[in-house]
Amino acid sequence: ATPGPNARDAFFDKNGHLWTGDDRQGLVYSQKEWSNEIILPEGPAYINAFAMDCKSEALWVVSGGVQSNWNNNYEGKGIYNFIDQGWTSYNKTSVDAFDSIPDVVSIAVHPSNPNRAFVGSWGEGLMEFVDGELKTVYDMSNSTLVDASNRVGFIGIGGLAFDDENNLWATNTANAQALSVLTPQNKWHSLSLFPYVTENTVGQIAIDHWGQKWIVLPNGGGIVVFDEQEDFENTSDDLK
């Protein structure tokens, strides 16, 4: 659903023309009834920025966010990208899924396709955008992502990162299977961080030159380092 105008202030100039400052439409200039000019600066729809990723001169931004204790903010302001010297915003006005996805907190742009981005929500799983369209929302029905052990139905994706082989790694908060990976062949694998993660909040992930995954546990939980060694299937040699 497209939200309507949300005027914050207005005044008439000396010519009797109406100027309105609107929270959603920017500056609106009205010379006469039903004749409005919307004046917007070149930029994203909102000033909010929680996480960013950049590939091949394409910048993608998620608006966020979470509170200091990682509870939802319920901002609902979506994502933006800067590609080919222009900004595009994706939120409730253009993507229906954002009606039920209030906070997006992580993002990873595909290394070989800057028009393909994965967006982690705080509660509703993982979104995949391709060429400006929402292609897929990954959740328990179509991936190895699971809900939090202490919050039924809540799928929080606090961190996303691609490794050198174009595998997408996702942190999956508050359960022992806190890591999932999506291969270039679109196959999912789930990996455990037990005993270091059971009901912990799991946040950002970074991958170093050796392929080790550095995973933040917010709220004073520290950092877990994970290495799957040779493959995803054999978990007996995983290091953490």
Side-chain angles (χ1 to χ4, degrees), residues 108-139:
V109 183
H110 195 280
S112 61
N113 182 1
N115 290 303
R116 184 184 182 192
F118 292 83
V119 177
S121 77
W122 199 239
E124 300 294 336
L126 177 68
M127 310 169 77
E128 180 183 2
F129 285 84
V130 180
D131 295 328
E133 300 290 335
L134 177 60
K135 178 182 177 183
T136 309
V137 177
Y138 294 101
D139 54 26

Side-chain angles (χ1 to χ4, degrees), residues 12-138:
F12 288 96
D13 63 20
K14 63 181 181 181
N15 297 315
H17 300 159
L18 178 64
W19 295 81
T20 305
D22 190 275
D23 194 38
R24 298 191 180 103
Q25 297 182 339
L27 183 63
V28 181
Y29 174 54
S30 307
Q31 282 188 300
K32 56 184 178 180
E33 189 175 5
W34 306 114
S35 176
N36 302 320
E37 178 185 357
I38 296 175
I39 303 170
L40 286 171
E42 175 61 28
Y46 300 97
I47 63 172
N48 303 60
F50 191 83
M52 301 184 294
D53 194 22
C54 186
K55 296 288 191 307
S56 302
E57 299 183 356
L59 172 68
W60 288 74
V61 183
V62 291
S63 60
V66 292
Q67 301 173 27
S68 59
N69 61 359
W70 280 72
N71 285 337
N72 284 83
N73 262 349
Y74 299 102
E75 291 282 356
K77 294 180 178 177
I79 65 175
Y80 344 109
N81 65 33
F82 185 73
I83 299 176
D84 295 330
Q85 301 302 308
W87 285 97
T88 304
S89 298
Y90 305 91
N91 47 50
K92 296 176 184 177
T93 64
S94 56
V95 180
D96 289 341
F98 279 119
D99 277 335
S100 58
I101 299 178
D103 296 311
V104 282
V105 298
S106 56
I107 190 160
V109 183
H110 195 280
S112 61
N113 182 1
N115 290 303
R116 184 184 182 192
F118 292 83
V119 177
S121 77
W122 199 239
E124 300 294 336
L126 177 68
M127 310 169 77
E128 180 183 2
F129 285 84
V130 180
D131 295 328
E133 300 290 335
L134 177 60
K135 178 182 177 183
T136 309
V137 177
Y138 294 101

Side-chain angles (χ1 to χ4, degrees), residues 3 21 43 45 53 74 79 122 149 152 159 172 174 196 218 229:
D53 194 22
Y74 299 102
I79 65 175
W122 199 239
S149 59
V152 175
N172 193 177
Y196 304 105
Q229 299 291 296

